[in-house]
């Protein structure tokens, strides 16, 4: 009888160990392909993505062409957005250069941006002067 209990205890221990190992393996994150140097550089420049693309509207209060940033103010609160190198900047539907935005301080604008740990990075900026 003791031998049967010992065998049952050993069987139970092995079964539990295998079951726990399977559950732990399922909780492990999947290994992904190694990041390319361009992806690593992108993360270094922007930080880590904190959310999805968002739309923000406000009044242009400042433009810093050296830093590629635009500050929009809405309801008394200012937000700084960094324009990416691929950012599309449009005034009344026409593509323009970042340098021309300083002519539009005080105008309403909408910006599509993604929040990153190193700031809000915009890829589309639309100014309406009408």
């Amino acid at each position: 009888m003791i031998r049967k209990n010992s065998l049952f205890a050993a069987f139970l221990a092995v079964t539990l160990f295998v079951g726990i190992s399977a559950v732990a393996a399922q909780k492990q994150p999947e290994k992904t392909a190694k990041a390319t140097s361009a992806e690593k550089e992108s993360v270094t420049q922007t930080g880590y993505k904190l959310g999805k693309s968002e739309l923000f509207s406000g009044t242009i209060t400042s433009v810093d062409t050296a830093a590629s940033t635009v500050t929009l103010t809405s309801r008394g609160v200012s937000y700084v957005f960094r324009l990416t190198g691929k950012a599309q900047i449009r005034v009344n539907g026409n593509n323009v250069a970042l340098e021309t935005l300083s002519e539009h301080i005080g105008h309403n604008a909408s910006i599509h941006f993604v929040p990153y740990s190193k700031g809000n990075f915009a890829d589309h900026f639309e100014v309406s002067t009408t």
Side-chain angles (χ1 to χ4, degrees):
M1 187 70 165
I2 294 176
R3 184 174 166 110
K4 285 184 180 180
N5 286 340
S6 297
L7 287 174
F8 179 74
F11 173 77
L12 184 60
V14 169
T15 304
L16 285 173
F17 176 77
V18 170
I20 291 172
S21 296
V23 169
Q26 287 178 343
K27 291 186 178 183
Q28 294 289 330
E30 292 182 18
K31 291 186 178 181
T32 57
K34 291 185 178 181
T36 65
S37 60
E39 290 169 333
K40 288 178 185 176
E41 183 178 328
S42 174
V43 168
T44 302
Q45 291 174 353
T46 60
Y48 294 96
K49 189 174 183 179
L50 301 176
K52 296 180 180 182
S53 178
E54 298 182 36
L55 176 66
F56 181 82
S57 295
T59 303
I60 301 172
T61 53
S62 71
V63 178
D64 183 347
T65 56
S68 295
T69 61
V70 176
T71 303
L72 296 181
T73 301
S74 178
R75 297 183 181 159
V77 180
S78 295
Y79 299 89
V80 177
F81 300 92
R82 178 164 295 167
L83 300 174
T84 64
K86 297 178 182 178
Q88 186 178 49
I89 304 168
R90 299 173 65 91
V91 175
N92 295 328
N94 299 313
N95 290 330
V96 297
L98 174 62
E99 293 77 20
T100 63
L101 283 182
S102 57
E103 300 169 8
H104 300 287
I105 291 177
H107 289 113
N108 291 327
S110 296
I111 192 164
H112 287 271
F113 72 97
V114 176
Y116 283 87
S117 59
K118 292 188 177 182
N120 297 315
F121 287 80
D123 59 3
H124 184 84
F125 190 83
E126 184 76 34
V127 179
S128 176
T129 60
T130 57

